[in-house]
Amino acid sequence: LAQQRLLIKGGKVVNDDCSVAADVYVEDGVVQQVGPNLNPEPSTGLVVLDATNKLVIPGGIDTHTHMEFPFMGTRSKDDFYTGTKAAIAGGTTMIIDFAIPQKGCSLIEAFDTWKSWADPKVCCDYSLHVAVTWWSNKVKEEMKTLVQNKGVNSFKMFMAYKDVYMVNDEELYAAFSCCKELGAVAQVHAENGELIAQGAKKMLAMGITGPEGHELCRPEEVEAEATQRAITIANAVNCPLFVVHVMSKSAAKVISNARREGKVVYGEPIAASLGTDGTNYWNKDWAHAAAYVMGPPLRPDPSTPGFLMSLLANDDLSVTGTDNCTFDICQKALGKDDFTKIPNGVNGVEDRMSVIWEKGVYSGKMDENRFVAVTSTNAAKIFNLYPKKGRIAVGSDADIVIWDPKATRTISAKTHHQANNFNIFEGMVCHGVPVATVSRGKVVYEGGAFNVIAGEGKYVSRPPFPPYVYKRVRQREQV
């Protein structure tokens, strides 16, 4: 059995709206008391964690991962075991992965497949978004079943990956309309797939085959245009929109402007776009350059990460994920002579919390409360997990991290737990380190040591119509 009783003493409890010096008492995986000088009886069998001079924060929620994802002729290195283990080492206690069917295939079968991979392996709680890669009445019926019976309340549409996952505007309109009827959040990978296909042909014809061609054939206006188009279509059907992996200044500005106009849209920058940039694509070492290839690409403008962090700090952007989809150097080499064959994906599930603390809080752009909002609370609200997740309060799940804002760590592939032989943040010194991670009331990681077995995490159902997202949508519908 998991540890039944836990007391976290002497720390500062940080939620998205306030910070308070308090102890936290946990029993049966749920927070029972939050307050000063707690002394729960009996003292026998009570596990005590000392959090003096440290912060006690809600466990991170990574809104965007791809564990053991079959993609571009190979499969991502991190499976649901190594991926979630790395997550808890970094202070993340829940991931939301993507079940992605091939065109013409069943969404429910994809969901069941991903769940069968995850359930025996996960070390922390998880949930699944489902991708809509084609459109028909069958897809519409399956979306309904997933929402009503399987606890899915978000669907992702790809505007890129032509002939593989991409849907057109008519299909987007239909999928968004269906999401709104069902009370789900529509998500988009926003890039113009047609322009990318043409751009890639052009680059290869010019003899540009290296990783830089990847960025050159999908410049940031291709991301901004698709973002604008998705927002326009979503607004036409009054459907809430979540733009995954915001990678560029221009796409971020589009989202920011839409929010100022009152549109219900949320932007998700990721650890990679906040912590590094696309200058790496021009590195003389092919393996180094290829390691950074992901879609949409990192941007060569080195001021991009700071710009995105500023927007995240002031609520123009809302949440952070990682798009953790790791491929090792051998897998990346599938595209040695043709950048279009380099598997797209980078690491981040273990690094996200520290990278955001370093670039956001330590730099002075955001405070500890906003940090909690963008790493956990806002995700919990948007995907209807709040206040069970994303908050430390009586009745909340005991997904808790003891965070040392003074400690530092240097990110390196030599010491990380992600199943990859490269780390895109190699050598970055981060202030802010998770000292202990508690999942469902059990101390699963402390002082560098794990205490967790595969399959201890649970699948979390997410009900439709998250109030945080849908209150305005419903009111507009009535008006």
Side-chain angles (χ1 to χ4, degrees):
L1 283 171
Q3 284 159 203
Q4 298 299 291
R5 300 169 67 237
L6 173 70
L7 178 64
I8 302 171
K9 280 196 81 69
K12 176 162 70 161
V13 174
V14 181
N15 279 310
D16 68 316
D17 53 353
C18 62
S19 305
V20 58
D23 299 345
V24 181
Y25 174 59
V26 172
E27 206 173 299
D28 297 327
V30 176
V31 176
Q32 304 292 343
Q33 287 175 280
V34 180
N37 309 316
L38 298 180
N39 283 306
E41 293 295 329
S43 57
T44 50
L46 181 67
V47 178
V48 181
L49 286 177
D50 180 10
T52 308
N53 298 327
K54 298 184 180 66
L55 308 180
V56 180
I57 62 174
I61 300 172
D62 188 337
T63 49
H64 192 148
T65 66
H66 296 283
M67 304 304 175
E68 51 193 278
F69 177 33
F71 186 51
M72 294 183 73
T74 182
R75 174 171 274 206
S76 61
K77 288 288 281 192
D78 277 307
D79 67 6
F80 280 98
Y81 177 65
T82 61
T84 54
K85 202 171 159 184
I88 57 179
T92 288
T93 55
M94 180 169 180
I95 62 165
I96 315 184
D97 208 88
F98 288 84
I100 305 182
Q102 297 295 322
K103 280 190 186 290
C105 294
S106 159
L107 275 62
I108 291 170
E109 278 173 29
F111 172 87
D112 290 341
T113 299
W114 258 261
K115 198 164 176 301
S116 73
W117 292 341
D119 284 340
K121 292 181 188 169
V122 283
C123 297
C124 66
D125 286 358
Y126 81 102
S127 201
L128 290 169
H129 308 291
V130 178
V132 173
T133 53
W134 61 296
W135 192 253
S136 71
N137 279 335
K138 181 188 177 201
V139 172
K140 190 174 176 176
E141 285 308 307
E142 291 201 317
M143 285 171 75
K144 188 175 171 183
T145 304
L146 286 164
V147 170
Q148 292 174 354
N149 305 335
K150 305 274 191 179
V152 174
N153 71 3
S154 47
F155 294 93
K156 176 184 180 182
M157 281 58 78
F158 290 88
M159 299 169 78
Y161 299 116
K162 188 177 175 189
D163 300 330
V164 185
Y165 297 133
M166 187 172 115
V167 291
N168 63 31
D169 289 0
E170 184 186 357
E171 292 168 317
L172 275 182
Y173 186 93
F176 288 174
S177 303
C178 188
C179 283
K180 199 198 91 197
E181 276 170 44
L182 297 169
V185 177
Q187 299 172 291
V188 285
H189 170 134
E191 283 185 290
N192 187 315
E194 294 290 349
L195 289 180
I196 292 167
Q198 298 302 326
K201 277 186 207 157
K202 191 167 138 191
M203 291 300 140
L204 292 172
M206 289 164 71
I208 298 171
T209 60
E212 71 279 8
H214 176 74
E215 204 285 331
L216 292 169
C217 79
R218 45 210 305 167
E220 58 177 88
E221 56 258 45
V222 168
E223 185 188 355
E225 183 278 327
T227 304
Q228 181 65 57
R229 183 157 40 101
I231 290 170
T232 305
I233 297 169
N235 193 55
V237 294
N238 189 24
C239 173
L241 186 68
F242 184 101
V243 182
V244 305
H245 49 44
V246 178
M247 303 300 290
S248 64
K249 285 182 172 181
S250 41
K253 282 176 192 161
V254 168
I255 293 165
S256 176
N257 291 339
R259 284 173 70 83
R260 306 270 160 104
E261 290 161 8
K263 298 190 170 75
V264 185
V265 56
Y266 306 95
E268 170 202 75
I270 58 173
S273 64
L274 296 165
T276 184
D277 63 53
T279 54
N280 291 286
Y281 296 132
W282 279 266
N283 192 293
K284 293 281 182 273
D285 176 3
W286 187 92
H288 177 99
Y292 288 80
V293 168
M294 64 166 297
L298 291 155
R299 302 303 173 185
D301 175 352
S303 66
T304 302
F307 182 86
L308 294 177
M309 186 59 81
S310 297
L311 262 56
L312 184 64
N314 65 28
D315 207 31
D316 287 316
L317 298 172
S318 308
V319 296
T320 56
T322 58
D323 198 3
N324 190 89
C325 188
T326 48
F327 298 103
D328 67 20
I329 289 161
C330 291
Q331 290 171 300
K332 293 276 186 180
L334 289 168
K336 191 80 179 77
D337 305 313
D338 176 352
F339 66 81
T340 64
K341 296 190 169 65
I342 300 171
N344 286 206
V346 297
N347 61 280
V349 75
E350 183 174 353
D351 317 301
R352 176 181 70 115
M353 302 283 278
S354 287
V355 167
I356 293 165
W357 187 273
E358 175 67 23
K359 303 288 189 184
V361 185
Y362 185 75
S363 75
K365 289 193 176 197
M366 64 171 69
D367 61 20
E368 60 197 23
N369 306 98
R370 181 65 189 167
F371 173 79
V372 165
V374 302
T375 57
S376 181
T377 311
N378 289 354
K381 288 177 176 175
I382 290 168
F383 296 112
N384 217 359
L385 298 158
Y386 187 83
K388 289 290 280 181
K389 307 282 187 197
R391 189 164 189 85
I392 297 177
V394 175
S396 296
D397 286 357
D399 291 350
I400 299 169
V401 174
I402 299 177
W403 188 265
D404 188 343
K406 300 277 192 291
T408 60
R409 74 183 181 98
T410 303
I411 297 177
S412 174
K414 293 184 185 71
T415 51
H416 72 195
H417 301 90
Q418 295 154 124
N420 208 14
N421 55 6
F422 191 94
N423 190 309
I424 60 167
F425 307 110
E426 186 70 40
M428 185 192 292
V429 177
C430 289
H431 295 77
V433 173
V435 182
T437 304
V438 177
S439 171
R440 291 191 169 254
K442 178 183 168 180
V443 183
V444 288
Y445 178 81
E446 187 182 6
F450 291 95
N451 173 32
V452 67
I453 19 186
E456 272 189 325
K458 299 271 187 293
Y459 172 75
V460 181
S461 282
R462 296 171 294 131
F465 295 107
Y468 182 75
V469 176
Y470 265 91
K471 275 179 187 165
R472 286 186 290 166
V473 171
R474 284 180 145 164
Q475 187 60 26
R476 289 171 189 192
E477 200 60 21
Q478 287 173 350
V479 172

